[in-house]
Amino acid sequence: MIGNLNHVALVVDDLDAAVDNWQNMLGATVSEPQPLPEHGVTVVFIDLPNTRIELLEPLGDGSPVSRFLEKHTGGGMHHICLEVTDIIAARDELIEKGARILGNGEPKIGAHGNPVIFMHPSNFHGTLIELEEVQAS
Ligand code: CO
């Protein structure tokens, strides 16, 4: 079912300071911040040769990332994102196999303009997994 690792997402409590660290300590190329009000986050992308890192900062009231920061002071790893070619087929197969999909189960449009769903962390021993539909190239 799954393809490439699309990204690893890290929550940070101070996006400017985090971007500064990635740029100046690691020499990373970091995108401009992109607000995603529908997801309650501001995100930047760090492109690596084989995948991406995303840094997430809470945006607005009731951001899911704010709750994460209450439990993980300063920030931490939030989720990994795996690519699938057909998100509806993947979702239906996962539900069939007993997985729990977060929200109403319908894909939302994610940071890269592609449909995404999230699986409940209890399915994968504590790790939140995002699936993103990426057309096979
Ligand atoms: Co993500």
Side-chain angles (χ1 to χ4, degrees):
M1 178 189 294
I2 58 169
N4 287 335
L5 174 66
N6 185 278
H7 60 269
V8 174
L10 309 178
V11 169
V12 299
D13 62 354
D14 182 336
L15 190 59
D16 290 339
V19 167
D20 198 61
N21 275 353
W22 279 85
Q23 287 175 327
N24 294 315
M25 287 189 186
L26 297 174
T29 302
V30 185
S31 74
E32 286 301 309
Q34 183 180 336
L36 298 173
E38 189 191 352
H39 296 273
V41 295
T42 302
V43 59
V44 300
F45 306 111
I46 299 163
D47 279 318
L48 304 180
N50 64 339
T51 190
R52 274 185 284 218
I53 307 281
E54 294 181 4
L55 304 182
L56 308 173
E57 183 185 58
L59 174 65
D61 294 333
S63 167
V65 170
S66 299
R67 293 200 294 277
F68 181 91
L69 275 175
E70 285 167 15
K71 291 187 211 155
H72 305 86
T73 306
M77 201 200 88
H78 187 259
H79 66 266
I80 65 170
C81 177
L82 303 172
E83 296 181 358
V84 296
T85 52
D86 182 336
I87 202 155
I88 298 296
R91 177 198 64 187
D92 291 349
E93 183 178 337
L94 285 161
I95 290 171
E96 177 85 21
K97 289 175 175 173
R100 282 174 62 196
I101 309 300
L102 295 187
N104 63 5
E106 292 307 315
K108 282 188 179 181
I109 298 302
H112 313 119
N114 295 328
V116 302
I117 58 172
F118 287 88
M119 285 186 288
H120 195 280
S122 64
N123 295 134
F124 290 93
H125 301 262
T127 298
L128 178 61
I129 296 184
E130 178 180 20
L131 297 179
E132 177 171 334
E133 182 173 282
V134 175
Q135 297 310 316
S137 52

